[in-house]
Amino acid sequence: MHISEITHPNQLHGLSIRQLEDIAQQIREKHLETVAATGGHLGPGLGVVELTIGLYQTLDLDHDKVIWDVGHQAYPHKMLTGRYHDFHTLRQKDGIAGYLKRCENKFDCFGAGHASTSISAGLGMALARDSRGENFKVVSIIGDGALTGGMALEAINHAGHLPNTNLMVVLNDNEMSISPNVGAISRYLNKVRLSDPIQFITGNLEEQFKHLPLFGDGENLSPEMKNLKEAMKRLAMPKVGAVIEELGFTYVGPIDGHNLSELIDTFNKAHKVKGPVLVHVATVKGKGYALAEKDQVGYHAQNPFNLATGKPIPSNKPKPPSYSKVFAHTLTTLAANNPKIVGITAAMATGTGLDKLQQKLPDQYIDVGIAEQHAVTLAAGLACEGMRPVVAIYSTFLQRAYDQIIHDVCIQKLPVFFCLDRAGIVGADGPTHQGMYDIAYLRCIPNMVIMAPKDEAEMQRMIVTGINYTEGAIAMRYPRGSGIGVPLAEEGWEELEIGKGEILRQGDDILLLGYGSMVTTAMQTAGILSEHGIEATVVNARFVKPLDTELILPLAEKIGKVATLEEGCLIGGFGSAVAEALTEAEVMAKLKRFGVPDILVDHAKPDQSFADLGLTAPQISEQILSSWFAEKPAVVAS
């Protein structure tokens, strides 16, 4: 059978191991071919091909539920659930999403783009099943990296207290998240991986005891014999494997995650276990592609690359350094001269660029694992003792630590510097990763300063500003991808005055207020308007909190027409801050806000998303002309 013939995962039922192995090879070939062409996550999906096939061969997915954690490990799942023929559209506009989406396919039982959610969601489904008196299996698949997230441990703690609720947790243990895992849980799992497999000791012992004379009644064991059975089980199980059992789960494993026979046999037996059961599956990230197996960090995700050599397909023209690289270089340079600076990441060292700090100054670098809440409160503790903690984290992931920002940092006015990577439109990763909400969710918190650079050179100055600011929390947001190509200084960066913007262009017809990445768009818009006889004043706001009202309000009152430009949600964003300031000061100026409306921005190339949202300079110019300068000829969008 060819994978292209599979439109329903139940078609795996009854196939021989040889046929299943052939399908596994076909999945890997399609996976590699697609990601090499489009870019995307590579290593995670390659590592779970056999796990996915083996599990689905033991389930009836017309009824049973499978919940995948994160989602980028679910590419084989997508191919086995009717999306093989469309898989070449992966992460492209109107194509297959890079993560799980309930609206995309009925077999995507739970949407996931962030880690550590699958056990909680699976337990919720299992409890709903039991409440309705239904009978179907629930399986949550989670990686060992995601197991470092507190939410996953909270769910395990809860499930372990429900001995009558059937739930299977499959631990996909490849010793990695994006980068190598850190912490005590990682060390524990490494020990377990080296232990002899433990499988179903409880049931085997109980069956043996029932057939011994004088013990039990043939059906049930006496309390004394139950205690003896548990003691014997502990003797048979290595110490490291007993921890899971102490949490209330039946532990099975570790088993070979690339041996289909062993996987199928183990899953079939595990489905019969009453209560929560954890099946520990040892896999190899990047399995089947030698380059990805060797470099599991580098091949976690890739831009389009040459499949034969593994090398990226070169760009048509050189690009400026990314904001992440500029951030990392600047912070590392500052940290070399200031031992109080500590960079903190939540398992995103390579993504944020903090791997550079780790390499150069390992004693000033901390990776907490996938534990954003802990990262923020850890930073608060460091700040209490006079350190200068820099929490480098994606905008979308900082959402997970919102209470800690308020309760542990801002209420106590602690000087923690939040550096929000991937703020704004991120492209192919879609709604779970778009950094749309940080302006809105941080702006309402007292004792918080919020800034955004117009380019990578200004970013260097903002990093110095953030390090030197000690009156409370301060946050800097910056976009994904390359800078705009301005010259960079190697040192001697001057800090900015808190809450002060700058005028970049003078004009009397309209005031364009740009924030962060949209300052360049504001300047482009001013150029287009000038071609139609409209002269704009352009302000680089720099700060949304505190807003430079001393600069903005007199200009708004004088000019009378104001447009705000931001790469984030309009509700509660930069434009809202300007509207509030105008209202408070009773400045009666016309106002148009350009940003992301109250919608979820789906996966696409960033320029496609900007065009769909009407956020390109020609589109903004046309809207301004048609609304306020109708007598002028309209601009034709290019």
Side-chain angles (χ1 to χ4, degrees):
M1 172 179 281
H2 192 269
I3 180 67
S4 61
E5 301 174 51
I6 296 179
T7 58
H8 192 298
N10 284 359
Q11 290 175 257
L12 296 173
H13 296 175
L15 298 183
S16 68
I17 295 298
R18 178 61 180 273
Q19 288 174 307
L20 295 176
E21 289 173 344
D22 287 344
I23 290 172
Q25 180 60 30
Q26 294 165 31
I27 289 175
R28 282 200 170 89
E29 290 173 356
K30 184 68 171 179
H31 189 170
L32 285 164
E33 171 192 314
T34 300
V35 175
T38 68
H41 292 92
L42 188 70
L46 291 176
V48 297
V49 176
E50 288 83 8
L51 188 161
T52 308
I53 293 172
L55 179 63
Y56 287 9
Q57 214 265 356
T58 69
L59 295 171
D60 176 3
L61 288 181
D62 279 329
H63 305 284
D64 300 330
K65 311 290 184 184
V66 177
I67 302 95
W68 287 89
D69 207 84
V70 183
H72 58 233
Q73 61 182 333
Y75 288 2
H77 158 83
K78 288 176 178 276
M79 282 187 251
L80 289 169
T81 51
R83 285 168 276 187
Y84 176 85
H85 292 288
D86 294 325
F87 197 69
H88 66 281
T89 67
L90 181 71
R91 292 161 51 92
Q92 298 177 55
K93 180 176 169 58
D94 301 323
I96 298 296
Y99 294 91
L100 297 177
K101 297 177 70 174
R102 281 170 54 87
C103 61
E104 182 177 285
N105 187 276
K106 68 177 182 179
F107 297 111
D108 290 3
C109 297
F110 195 77
H114 295 182
S116 311
T117 63
S118 62
I119 305 177
S120 296
L123 181 58
M125 293 179 189
L127 290 172
R129 171 201 63 201
D130 295 348
S131 175
R132 295 195 300 259
E134 297 175 346
N135 182 25
F136 56 84
K137 301 177 180 68
V138 178
V139 182
S140 295
I141 303 169
I142 189 167
D144 53 318
L147 201 61
T148 64
M151 183 177 176
L153 301 178
E154 292 169 11
I156 288 174
N157 178 65
H158 185 194
H161 287 277
L162 301 171
N164 297 317
T165 299
N166 293 340
L167 171 70
M168 182 194 296
V169 174
V170 177
L171 174 57
N172 169 33
D173 180 5
N174 59 23
E175 302 180 278
M176 299 285 289
S177 53
I178 294 175
S179 300
N181 290 324
V182 297
I185 292 175
S186 173
R187 289 197 303 271
Y188 165 75
L189 291 176
N190 286 339
K191 292 179 181 179
V192 176
R193 286 172 68 97
L194 299 175
S195 304
D196 293 329
I198 301 298
Q199 297 191 12
F200 310 107
I201 291 177
T202 302
N204 291 339
L205 281 175
E206 190 155 333
E207 288 302 313
Q208 294 295 322
F209 275 123
K210 285 179 181 179
H211 291 89
L212 292 176
L214 305 179
F215 296 132
D217 57 8
E219 293 294 331
N220 299 300
L221 293 179
S222 66
E224 295 79 8
M225 288 313 303
K226 287 183 178 179
N227 292 335
L228 178 60
K229 177 199 73 174
E230 290 299 319
M232 292 184 69
K233 183 174 71 170
R234 293 292 182 265
L235 289 173
M237 177 179 290
K239 181 179 179 181
V240 291
V243 174
I244 299 298
E245 297 257 344
E246 291 289 350
L247 293 172
F249 278 71
T250 298
Y251 172 81
V252 183
I255 63 172
D256 183 353
H258 303 292
N259 184 320
L260 277 165
S261 296
E262 185 177 358
L263 286 163
I264 292 169
D265 180 64
T266 302
F267 288 140
N268 275 324
K269 291 178 179 177
H271 291 316
K272 299 175 183 178
V273 175
K274 183 179 180 181
V277 56
L278 185 143
V279 181
H280 185 177
V281 181
T283 61
V284 176
K285 189 174 182 179
K287 180 71 174 178
Y289 186 52
L291 293 170
E293 290 185 36
K294 184 177 181 180
D295 182 5
Q296 296 183 342
V297 176
Y299 286 87
H300 170 80
Q302 279 283 324
N303 291 322
F305 66 99
N306 184 300
L307 193 54
T309 66
K311 295 182 179 180
I313 296 174
S315 175
N316 293 330
K317 58 181 180 179
K319 292 182 179 180
S322 70
Y323 280 94
S324 299
K325 287 186 177 180
V326 174
F327 162 74
H329 173 74
T330 308
L331 181 67
T332 301
T333 302
L334 294 170
N337 298 309
N338 184 351
K340 291 186 177 181
I341 294 175
V342 179
I344 302 171
T345 181
M348 299 297 292
T350 54
T352 60
L354 280 188
D355 54 337
K356 182 179 178 68
L357 180 67
Q358 179 188 24
Q359 294 162 8
K360 296 290 183 67
L361 301 166
D363 292 339
Q364 291 172 252
Y365 164 86
I366 299 173
D367 184 351
V368 301
I370 302 177
E372 293 86 1
Q373 292 173 300
H374 169 56
V376 172
T377 304
L378 173 75
L382 286 163
C384 283
E385 297 303 310
M387 302 298 284
R388 303 300 300 120
V390 179
V391 181
I393 195 164
Y394 290 8
S395 167
T396 182
F397 295 148
L398 190 62
Q399 296 163 185
R400 312 185 82 185
Y402 193 59
D403 181 61
Q404 285 67 33
I405 299 169
I406 298 172
H407 184 273
D408 300 334
V409 176
C410 289
I411 287 178
Q412 303 185 93
K413 294 189 70 173
L414 290 172
V416 175
F417 184 17
F418 295 99
C419 295
L420 278 61
D421 203 329
R422 270 68 164 177
I425 294 170
V426 299
D429 283 335
T432 60
H433 282 57
Q434 309 282 16
M436 296 300 173
Y437 311 112
D438 55 90
I439 301 172
Y441 72 65
L442 292 177
R443 193 171 70 83
C444 62
I445 306 175
N447 302 323
M448 172 69 77
V449 171
I450 311 168
M451 55 187 177
K454 70 178 185 294
D455 55 40
E456 59 268 43
E458 188 166 77
M459 178 196 217
Q460 294 182 302
R461 296 185 66 187
M462 283 191 177
I463 294 171
V464 175
T465 306
I467 294 294
N468 292 343
Y469 184 74
T470 59
E471 297 180 22
I474 185 167
M476 174 183 68
R477 77 186 314 252
Y478 48 98
R480 181 178 188 173
S482 301
I484 64 174
V486 298
L488 296 172
E490 284 299 314
E491 56 184 8
W493 308 292
E494 296 181 359
E495 66 180 287
L496 298 167
E497 185 178 355
I498 297 295
K500 293 299 178 182
E502 63 173 345
I503 296 175
L504 300 179
R505 178 173 176 150
Q506 298 275 7
D508 295 328
D509 297 316
I510 185 171
L511 173 61
L512 300 178
L513 302 176
Y515 184 59
S517 60
M518 293 297 282
V519 172
T520 298
T521 305
M523 289 293 288
Q524 293 169 346
T525 300
I528 295 173
L529 292 176
S530 181
E531 295 173 2
H532 296 270
I534 308 300
E535 296 302 327
T537 290
V538 178
V539 169
N540 168 25
R542 285 179 172 159
F543 294 86
V544 67
K545 187 180 182 184
L547 189 69
D548 191 352
T549 53
E550 291 183 0
L551 174 65
I552 293 172
L553 293 179
L555 288 171
E557 189 165 35
K558 174 186 174 184
I559 297 172
K561 296 182 180 69
V562 182
T564 62
L565 290 75
E566 62 190 302
E567 189 179 344
C569 67
L570 285 172
I571 298 176
F574 170 66
S576 292
V578 172
E580 291 163 11
L582 294 174
T583 301
E584 288 289 324
E586 299 183 352
V587 173
M588 305 303 291
K590 295 179 179 179
L591 175 66
K592 287 187 73 66
R593 298 177 303 143
F594 294 93
V596 179
D598 189 21
I599 62 171
L600 294 171
V601 180
D602 218 336
H603 58 279
K605 293 180 180 179
D607 57 350
Q608 293 173 324
S609 294
F610 277 102
D612 287 346
L613 295 166
L615 294 179
T616 68
Q619 290 171 316
I620 293 172
S621 302
E622 186 170 11
Q623 292 181 66
I624 289 172
L625 283 169
S626 62
S627 295
W628 289 341
F629 304 95
E631 71 280 4
K632 302 289 183 180
V635 176
V636 178
S638 60

